[in-house]
Amino acid sequence: MTTTKSNTYFWQGNQACAEGAIAAGCRFFAGYPITPASEIAAHMAKRLPQVGGIAIQMEDELASVGVAIGASWAGAKAMTATSGPGFSLMQEFIGYAFITETPCVIVDAQRAGPSTGQATKCGQGDVMQSRWGTHGDYSAIVLSPNSVEEMFTLTVRAFNLAEEYRTPVILLADETIAHMREQITVPSSDSVNVINRRKPRAGDKAFFGLEEVPPMPAVGEGFNVAVTGSTHDEYGIRFTADPLVHKKLVERLNNKIRNHVEEISDFEDYNIEGCQIALLVYGCTSRAIYEAVEKAEAKGIKIGYIRLKTIWPFPEKLVRKLAEKAEKIIVPEMNLGQICYEVERVANGLAEVIPLNKIGGGELITPEELLAKILREAEKNE
Amino acid sequence: MSEAFSVRKYLRDLKLPFCPGCGIFTLMDAFLRSIHELGHEDLKDFVFCSGIGCSSWICSPYFVADSIHTPHGRSIPVATGIKLVHPSLNVVVFGGDGDIVGIGMSHFIHAARRNLDILVIMVNNMIYGMTGGQVAPTTPFKTKTATTPYGSFEEPLDATRLAVTAGACYSARWTTAHPNELKESIKKALRMKGFRFIEVVSQCPTAYGRRAGFKNVGEILKWLKENAVSIGQAEKLSEKELEKRVVVGQFVERKRPTVVENVYAVIKEAQVNDTKS
């Protein structure tokens, strides 16, 4: 780590992610090499042993997330990091972490897919996969950083949400945010808000129900905890056929997230009340909006935006409010349209939803392209 | 061994789900007898991991212990995380042949290679039993199964020898027709360090036995007993003579530094260097 007297550094996004994890109390990392996430593994391999933690490279991404889940049940805060192809492999264990209520953080630094695609180039094609990637009924918490600083702060938040809700949390970064370097001011360790999982008291037996988020023991603490990816009752006992046990478990697992959308949601907004044209943005694509908005305003266009830092659970109330105010919502994405359909569903005709898509070569949507789109849509209005 | 052995004290008060005549009962008995004979009054120093399949239900949730029942084939990665973070716990993996050397093969080889300090007990019933008797990587050549109605056209895998090649500190094979030898093997493995592997060739009367032409469990056990050949004797036999024989015994016993020791040495070193700089 480059050390200066102040807490200001010039870091790569992946390094900021690794340091954010350590600040949040992460002491276990496992990964498998993949562009553009490998620097997280390299940084963790260097830094974690210095703070008494473990970093290990596993045989594949299945094992990487599996070993993190094992570490979590042994009481450690654990993380893995990957990109699209590895994220696909991890889906099996993501569902397992969800049903077993295992806190852990999975970083997906997106690249252009499908499959190997353009391995070193930026994309935002994993947005729906981050929500629906594993099978069955589940709810995901997915955060979307748009700067090196947010690679730090949102990684901390990912751990806090994982611990608070006892669920896997996905940090959905992208190649641009992961690889770029920016100035970052790191908060001192005592000013970082760190949340830890609630531990059971002596005699507690229900670690999978009775409460919305039950307490979580670690193995070796004498609680005889039975963890299973099969449907189970409050005590971890498998019920593979009882309809009520399944309904009760799966509804609680989903509701513990769906009933707390407002607490989980984090966003930046501007001029929602007074806008005619709105932008709904997230991740690297959102970096183009500031210049575009300034120039659009200079031309007299009433413009506002919402930048989502939490993509999932989708903040329906917030986006509906935007649709009530704006006539048009432009949704720029580095994919062929993913979040725009969610916006359209929530807007439900209240505002026109206009996708702005760009893929290939990792080329970002530029402020000029965004401004041109805004001007075209404003002209149509006149 | 102050009090008489009873499986009851190690088991939750739940009905076991296994078919009558299943080899798993013999293994459960041998394992818990080993625990008892080694002087463990309970299982609090153990953590059990298992995947998907009949034998993954041995420990989950029936043992009064911490047990983690993972996705199919993924027990070893989860066991790896637990053992690395909590080295003082004895981590034991139970799994079937499909779980450990089918879908989970890569994790099995790598755990042996890195010498992860765990005991893996693999029940080899030569079939996918829970799903209705499909061909497994361990199914003998020409065996009829649900998915090889004309007989298996692939050669089976020798998991015990694979463990030796991959670097295991202990690798042994016994059958459910050798309960005493099996128990002694488990006791020995539990006292050792490093990656330890025991293959238990076992009967599945429901999905394998009847397809292979056995009339009852007794016939399968008799076949296992009669066709078992010790590793010493096997060396004197030709490949032809070893066809359809089950080679039993201890295949390797050795000492190697474990990944757990090595990881903690790295942490110590990194902290010393960090203090220096």
Side-chain angles (χ1 to χ4, degrees), chain A residues 128-189:
Chain A
M128 283 297 169
Q129 189 189 21
S130 73
R131 171 63 186 88
W132 299 107
T134 200
H135 57 277
D137 290 304
Y138 79 113
S139 291
I141 299 180
V142 180
L143 310 183
S144 169
N146 92 332
S147 64
V148 169
E149 187 168 316
E150 282 189 0
M151 283 295 273
F152 185 98
T153 56
L154 292 194
T155 302
V156 172
R157 184 139 199 273
F159 273 98
N160 287 345
L161 289 168
E163 295 284 317
E164 186 177 355
Y165 291 96
R166 252 189 84 181
T167 196
V169 173
I170 291 153
L171 185 81
L172 192 67
D174 53 61
E175 188 276 335
T176 301
I177 305 301
H179 275 166
M180 74 181 185
R181 289 172 189 274
E182 272 185 325
Q183 183 172 301
I184 172 174
T185 302
V186 175
S188 64
S189 58

Side-chain angles (χ1 to χ4, degrees), chain B residues 10-30:
Chain B
Y10 300 110
L11 295 178
R12 291 182 205 260
D13 194 15
L14 296 165
K15 191 177 167 233
L16 292 172
F18 309 112
C19 302
C22 177
I24 281 173
F25 291 111
T26 308
L27 169 58
M28 278 181 100
D29 186 75

Side-chain angles (χ1 to χ4, degrees), chain A residues 28 49-50 52-54 57-60 62-63 66-67 70-71 74 92-93 96 219-220 224-230 238, chain B residues 12 47 57 60-61 64-71 74 77-78 80-82 84-86 106-107 110 114 263-264 267 270-271:
Chain A
F28 191 93
Q50 293 173 353
I54 293 168
Q57 185 169 312
M58 294 303 289
E59 52 270 19
D60 55 34
L62 303 159
V67 74
E92 170 185 82
F93 256 131
Y96 180 81
V219 295
N224 294 328
V225 59
V227 183
T228 177
S230 296
R238 199 167 36 242
Chain B
R12 291 182 205 260
V47 177
W57 284 5
S60 163
V64 180
D66 294 322
S67 64
I68 304 204
H69 181 230
T70 76
R74 312 295 171 224
V78 173
T80 307
I82 290 169
L84 286 172
V85 173
H86 211 323
S106 163
H107 310 309
H110 284 284
R114 54 171 66 98
V263 160
Y264 281 89
I267 292 174
Q271 286 179 329

Side-chain angles (χ1 to χ4, degrees), chain A residues 26-29 44-56 71 76, chain B residues 81 83-87 258-276:
Chain A
C26 173
R27 291 298 178 269
F28 191 93
F29 178 88
M44 287 303 241
K46 186 180 172 193
R47 285 281 288 127
L48 270 183
Q50 293 173 353
V51 294
I54 293 168
I56 186 166
Chain B
K83 186 65 188 180
L84 286 172
V85 173
H86 211 323
T258 70
V259 66
V260 181
E261 293 162 350
N262 294 345
V263 160
Y264 281 89
V266 164
I267 292 174
K268 209 172 163 185
E269 194 183 328
Q271 286 179 329
V272 170
N273 290 343
D274 203 33
T275 324
K276 276 184 200 160

